[in-house]
Amino acid sequence: MSVRTSGGTRWWIVWTLFFSTVTNYISRQTFSVLAPMLSSQYHFSHSDLARILGAFQISYAITWLLGGIFLDAVGTRLGLALAVSFWSVVNIFTGFASSVSGFAAFRFLLGIGEGLNWPGASKTVAEWFPSQERSVAVAIFDSGSSVGGALAALVIPWTAIAFGWRWSFVFSGALGFVWLAMWLRVYHPLDRHPRVSPEEVALIRAGQDVTLRYKMRGVARWLALVKSSNVWAIVLGRGLTDPIWWFYIFWLPQYLSDARGFSLKRIALFAWIPFVAADLGNFTGGFVSGYCIRRGIPVIRARMWVCAISCLPILAGIPAARVHSAYSALALICVALWGYASWSTMGLTLPSDLFPQEVVATVTGLSGFAAGLAGAVFTFAVGFLVDRFSYAPAFLVAGLMPIVATGCLFLLISPTATTIPKA
């Protein structure tokens, strides 16, 4: 693969990140897509499924927190290579599980590896892109989650039907090693990349607004970060929006089976559609905020107003549990995920807009830790509610949380706030 196109190295890199996210989500969604089949075979309750799904989210949250520090220390080239290798091996071995505890253990290990993908990708975008291009770059790599989820919904059921469900885990895990060869070929740090042009380096450097470096290290840096209102805005914003995504991607196949009577084949035919809507949302948010910035609107203000507008379509998820038609419910879920993905693209871009490159992965990791824990709590709550009531309360909460999250951004973000001494 050649990346000698003048001025285009950064785009080759971000598309490679897109494929890491695709493989990440195919691996992650393999269990969720197969959940109706596995629940029937092993007699899992919704609370059992919540335990399995929640195990992933807990380790995923911890890795977001510690993984940011790890990536800032070793760099994204080595860090992401190790992460993808680890999660791919774990996913393959998930095919040997046959109990709640077995699936939960492998899902916990899977979360450890997969939690490094987004901090690493965000750090790479901060290193390789000027501020006016970051939202589009984030939209590209983040859209891999929608594409991966859609592909999983399409491919995994047919693989399970043709070869057995255990081979579905082998297939999705093996994809990571294909990506690994691509990554090691394409990515190198900006100052040591053998195929980047001087003109592209100059363009990137000129467009990176935050170039100052923190004097503090170790515990002192952490203490200073947790005092920053900007950090808390990002943490609360993601902590109140990411559970929406977890709810839809983890529970959608089971919801279609439970409430709408879909078979595994029918899930394969329709469950991919909401992920396409989310993919469109990624690019909607990225392109709209980029357009606003080019028109002279300050970067942070553009990001925040995209978040505010994105709350409106997310509300469409609330009536999804009440409508009679399964296809109307899917349409409303599509609208909700379109809005969520637009919001999420802004949330993932804000750390690189507000903080120096050397702490972007750490700040992103803090927000991912909060989001993962909040998502785990919501997952356990969904299992409890569905076993005793219905899916309707979960759809209601998922529709309202982004409004609170956006309020936190407007109350807490200060683009000029400085709480950490800089050199």
Side-chain angles (χ1 to χ4, degrees):
M1 179 181 295
S2 172
V3 290
R4 293 183 179 277
T5 304
S6 177
T9 303
R10 66 195 185 279
W11 297 107
W12 280 96
I13 289 172
V14 82
W15 280 107
T16 306
L17 294 172
F18 164 83
F19 284 111
S20 78
T21 308
V22 170
T23 60
N24 182 294
Y25 259 78
I26 293 175
S27 293
R28 182 182 311 190
Q29 284 299 102
T30 300
F31 178 85
S32 296
V33 171
L34 296 176
M37 174 187 285
L38 296 173
S39 297
S40 176
Q41 180 173 336
Y42 294 108
H43 308 291
F44 294 157
S45 67
H46 293 94
S47 295
D48 290 332
L49 291 176
R51 285 177 57 196
I52 295 169
L53 298 172
F56 172 90
Q57 290 175 283
I58 291 171
S59 64
Y60 187 78
I62 294 170
T63 304
W64 269 76
L65 179 66
L66 301 179
I69 303 170
F70 170 73
L71 288 163
D72 282 334
V74 306
T76 48
R77 178 178 166 85
L78 176 60
L80 283 178
L82 292 173
V84 177
S85 300
F86 181 78
W87 89 53
S88 298
V89 170
V90 169
N91 198 57
I92 290 171
F93 276 91
T94 305
F96 293 98
S98 58
S99 65
V100 172
S101 58
F103 281 111
F106 281 116
R107 294 289 293 184
F108 184 88
L109 292 173
L110 185 71
I112 293 174
E114 294 205 347
L116 290 166
N117 189 75
W118 270 259
S122 297
K123 181 177 175 64
T124 302
V125 167
E127 294 169 345
W128 273 91
F129 284 85
S131 59
Q132 67 270 23
E133 293 178 348
R134 283 182 193 149
S135 62
V136 175
V138 170
I140 289 172
F141 83 71
D142 193 40
S143 69
S145 60
S146 305
V147 173
L151 288 173
L154 280 167
V155 175
I156 297 302
W158 299 113
T159 305
I161 292 168
F163 303 103
W165 66 263
R166 298 183 192 277
W167 282 101
S168 297
F169 287 99
V170 174
F171 166 75
S172 58
L175 294 176
F177 295 103
V178 178
W179 178 86
L180 181 62
M182 184 192 310
W183 174 248
L184 294 176
R185 175 74 176 98
V186 171
Y187 179 83
H188 297 273
L190 178 61
D191 58 352
R192 299 192 300 276
H193 201 291
R195 291 174 292 278
V196 67
S197 67
E199 294 79 11
E200 185 172 9
V201 173
L203 172 68
I204 294 167
R205 298 294 190 202
Q208 292 178 332
D209 299 327
V210 182
T211 58
L212 299 176
R213 300 177 65 85
Y214 289 164
K215 291 180 179 179
M216 292 185 176
R217 296 291 184 268
V219 175
R221 174 187 287 182
W222 270 89
L223 291 175
L225 281 173
V226 299
K227 293 178 183 178
S228 168
S229 64
N230 288 338
V231 169
W232 280 103
I234 294 168
V235 166
L236 291 173
R238 288 203 54 207
L240 290 167
T241 53
D242 270 31
I244 304 166
W245 180 245
W246 295 116
F247 168 61
Y248 283 118
I249 67 164
F250 280 171
W251 290 99
L252 180 60
Q254 193 66 41
Y255 167 74
L256 292 175
S257 175
D258 292 340
R260 303 297 178 175
F262 279 29
S263 65
L264 191 62
K265 289 183 179 180
R266 203 173 178 201
I267 288 171
L269 290 174
F270 293 100
W272 59 273
I273 299 174
F275 291 98
V276 175
D279 204 27
L280 294 174
N282 286 126
F283 287 98
T284 300
F287 282 118
V288 169
S289 68
Y291 173 80
C292 291
I293 293 166
R294 289 192 297 273
R295 299 288 292 181
I297 297 175
V299 172
I300 304 303
R301 184 181 299 174
R303 311 289 195 222
M304 291 167 63
W305 278 108
V306 170
C307 288
I309 295 170
S310 298
C311 289
L312 297 176
I314 297 175
L315 293 170
I318 295 175
R322 300 291 189 184
V323 296
H324 178 71
S325 167
Y327 303 107
S328 296
L330 274 171
L332 290 168
I333 290 170
C334 286
V335 174
L337 281 177
W338 173 61
Y340 163 79
S342 175
W343 202 110
S344 175
T345 298
M346 299 300 97
L348 287 169
T349 309
L350 283 171
S352 59
D353 291 329
L354 291 167
F355 295 93
Q357 295 172 12
E358 62 180 310
V359 294
V360 165
T362 301
V363 174
T364 304
L366 280 168
S367 65
F369 175 70
L373 290 184
V377 171
F378 194 45
T379 295
F380 289 126
V382 171
F384 174 85
L385 289 170
V386 174
D387 274 340
R388 290 159 180 79
F389 304 103
S390 71
Y391 284 93
F395 278 97
L396 175 63
V397 174
L400 296 177
M401 284 195 298
I403 298 173
V404 182
T406 304
C408 291
L409 296 187
F410 278 86
L411 287 172
L412 295 173
I413 283 183
S414 174
T416 59
T418 301
T419 59
I420 302 176
K422 297 175 180 177

